[in-house]
Amino acid sequence: GEAVRQFMVEFPTSNLTKEMDTHLKAGVTLPDALVVEALEAIMLSQRCQTRGYVLDGYPNTIEQVKLMTELCIIPVQIIELTLSAKEVHWRGTADRHSPDRSLPLHDSAPILDVRLSSYKRNIDVVRSHYQKEHRNWNILEGNRSKWWLNDKCAQLMNEQLKTAQHYLEKRTVGDAASIFGLCVSPDECKNRLRRILSLLPVSLATKHELVDCSFETTMKFTAEYRARYYKLAGQKEMDMFLAEAHKYVSPTAPHMLPDSLPKYVTKAEVKQMFPKELAFRGYCPVTYVLGHKRYEALTPGSRDHVVLYDDEVFSMLDDKTMEMFLRQPGSTIELLCPLSFLLLE
């Protein structure tokens, strides 16, 4: 409400103000689209740009969240205060009888019940969205003292500011920087990941292994370097990449990404490839190589562990052998000498 009132005062002749005024004079609730548009304009003001802002009790519904996201309004931190319905009514009663109150507010017992009902109906989907997309949702106990809550909120914001400042400092000097804690959504991260970036650059450079971590969405070990995102295997690899990122990316990386990359394929995808036959006559190439290429090491692969590599379909024995093949497919295929294929004909 405050943002809408401030917008109407500061921009009395704008078309948005006239449209909102029409709704208000008709005695109807303002559409969420108009409220979010006014909110965006206020957030661009000098006051909000220099001092920041706090959205108290907003957004309330997933529709409002979507409208804000479309306009790139993403709260840096969201703090949910948990209180029982009994405590809410007790505090509402105390506020209504406070001698400091000069004007009546919409906080009677029936109105509080309506607000609590709306909150319970919408909070789960709103919380789930921000937890999944931006990982910026914090839950605090509302029955704590105001001093404890103030310190906790200040701590959360200080940590966020430090993270943002460190990111900007690294970007300014051209170094790699972690994007964890910057509210980057999984879709945004995916859009800025090329195929090489969804593979671990440190593992590729130091172990010559292809490790696909595109399924990992927490971004705890995701860094930005030269306007691209890179995923890392863990904290050790993350520290190595942040310290010397240029060593693990093109053109100075010791191992370049091969033209052909292995890909796990499902049973349905295998059926769609018919009449394409399994390479190596359906035997697991990994067990054969590990068994020193002896005849006894020929083990039929499983249809649940199929990998497409270099336009050939290979069947693995189990999860372990499939993981080994996905990491080093080229090395495995090189060890399968042409004679091995001839013996299987």
Side-chain angles (χ1 to χ4, degrees):
E2 181 181 350
V4 172
R5 288 191 291 270
Q6 183 178 344
F7 178 86
M8 297 182 72
V9 170
E10 294 185 4
F11 307 97
T13 60
S14 68
N15 292 331
L16 180 58
T17 297
K18 295 177 181 178
E19 191 172 354
M20 290 191 296
D21 189 56
T22 301
H23 285 83
L24 293 174
K25 289 180 177 179
V28 297
T29 304
L30 287 177
D32 290 334
L34 299 182
V35 174
V36 174
E37 191 175 345
L39 177 62
E40 180 193 26
I42 292 300
M43 290 175 59
L44 295 174
S45 65
Q46 183 179 2
R47 177 185 176 187
C48 289
Q49 292 292 311
T50 56
R51 299 181 59 185
Y53 62 91
V54 175
L55 300 180
D56 186 10
Y58 198 87
N60 296 308
T61 66
I62 191 63
E63 289 75 18
Q64 294 170 351
V65 171
K66 292 178 179 178
L67 288 171
M68 290 174 58
T69 303
E70 289 177 1
L71 296 179
C72 298
I73 303 176
I74 300 174
V76 175
Q77 291 288 346
I78 298 177
I79 299 174
E80 177 186 1
L81 302 179
T82 58
L83 278 177
S84 65
K86 181 178 179 181
E87 179 70 14
V88 171
H89 279 285
W90 184 86
R91 294 189 180 190
T93 302
D95 287 342
R96 287 193 298 273
H97 293 86
S98 173
D100 298 328
R101 172 174 289 194
S102 58
L103 297 174
L105 300 176
H106 296 290
D107 60 354
S108 63
I111 291 178
L112 288 179
D113 284 332
V114 171
R115 290 184 175 180
L116 283 171
S117 176
S118 175
Y119 167 80
K120 293 178 180 179
R121 186 170 58 253
N122 295 290
I123 188 60
D124 288 339
V125 64
V126 173
R127 183 194 301 120
S128 176
H129 172 85
Y130 280 112
Q131 287 177 336
K132 178 182 177 181
E133 293 295 319
H134 305 293
R135 301 158 302 283
N136 58 349
W137 193 279
N138 305 277
I139 301 177
L140 301 180
E141 299 176 9
N143 56 359
R144 295 276 195 142
S145 71
K146 61 182 180 180
W147 306 113
W148 183 90
L149 290 172
N150 181 73
D151 289 343
K152 195 66 176 178
C153 293
Q155 179 183 349
L156 289 171
M157 292 309 304
N158 286 334
E159 291 176 355
Q160 181 66 39
L161 289 174
K162 288 180 181 179
T163 299
Q165 289 174 354
H166 182 264
Y167 168 81
L168 292 174
E169 290 172 358
K170 289 290 185 179
R171 284 285 310 277
T172 301
V173 297
D175 291 339
S178 172
I179 65 169
F180 183 66
L182 297 180
C183 300
V184 178
S185 68
D187 288 340
E188 181 182 353
C189 182
K190 183 178 180 180
N191 291 335
R192 295 184 65 176
L193 282 171
R194 296 172 59 187
R195 64 171 189 162
I196 184 173
L197 312 186
S198 63
L199 299 163
L200 306 183
V202 176
S203 298
L204 179 62
T206 60
K207 304 177 183 178
H208 203 186
E209 290 184 349
L210 302 174
V211 183
D212 186 4
C213 55
S214 57
F215 56 86
E216 198 272 335
T217 59
T218 63
M219 298 182 213
K220 185 176 182 181
F221 304 116
T222 304
E224 179 181 347
Y225 182 59
R226 295 175 181 171
R228 296 177 181 173
Y229 288 166
Y230 296 82
K231 286 182 175 289
L232 291 308
Q235 189 60 54
K236 179 182 177 180
E237 290 78 7
M238 183 74 167
D239 294 339
M240 293 172 63
F241 186 81
L242 293 178
E244 297 177 305
H246 63 279
K247 287 186 176 182
Y248 306 107
V249 299
S250 178
T252 57
H255 301 295
M256 295 294 103
L257 194 71
D259 295 331
S260 179
L261 295 176
K263 176 191 175 186
Y264 166 73
V265 291
T266 63
K267 285 184 177 180
E269 291 174 328
V270 172
K271 289 182 179 180
Q272 293 177 357
M273 295 179 184
F274 182 82
K276 192 178 187 65
E277 296 183 355
L278 292 174
F280 204 52
R281 298 296 294 274
Y283 291 105
C284 177
V286 177
T287 56
Y288 181 66
V289 170
L290 293 177
H292 304 289
K293 296 186 283 188
R294 298 193 304 268
Y295 179 80
E296 295 79 7
L298 288 173
T299 306
S302 168
R303 296 302 176 101
D304 294 324
H305 303 88
V306 179
V307 176
L308 177 66
Y309 175 67
D310 201 16
D311 202 33
E312 296 286 347
V313 182
F314 295 89
S315 179
M316 309 300 156
L317 176 63
D318 50 25
D319 289 338
K320 182 179 180 180
T321 54
M322 185 173 69
E323 178 68 18
M324 294 175 65
F325 187 86
L326 289 171
R327 284 176 177 265
Q328 294 183 318
S331 301
T332 303
I333 297 302
E334 288 176 2
L335 292 173
L336 293 176
C337 62
L339 180 59
S340 301
F341 291 92
L342 291 174
L343 292 175
L344 292 172
E345 292 297 332

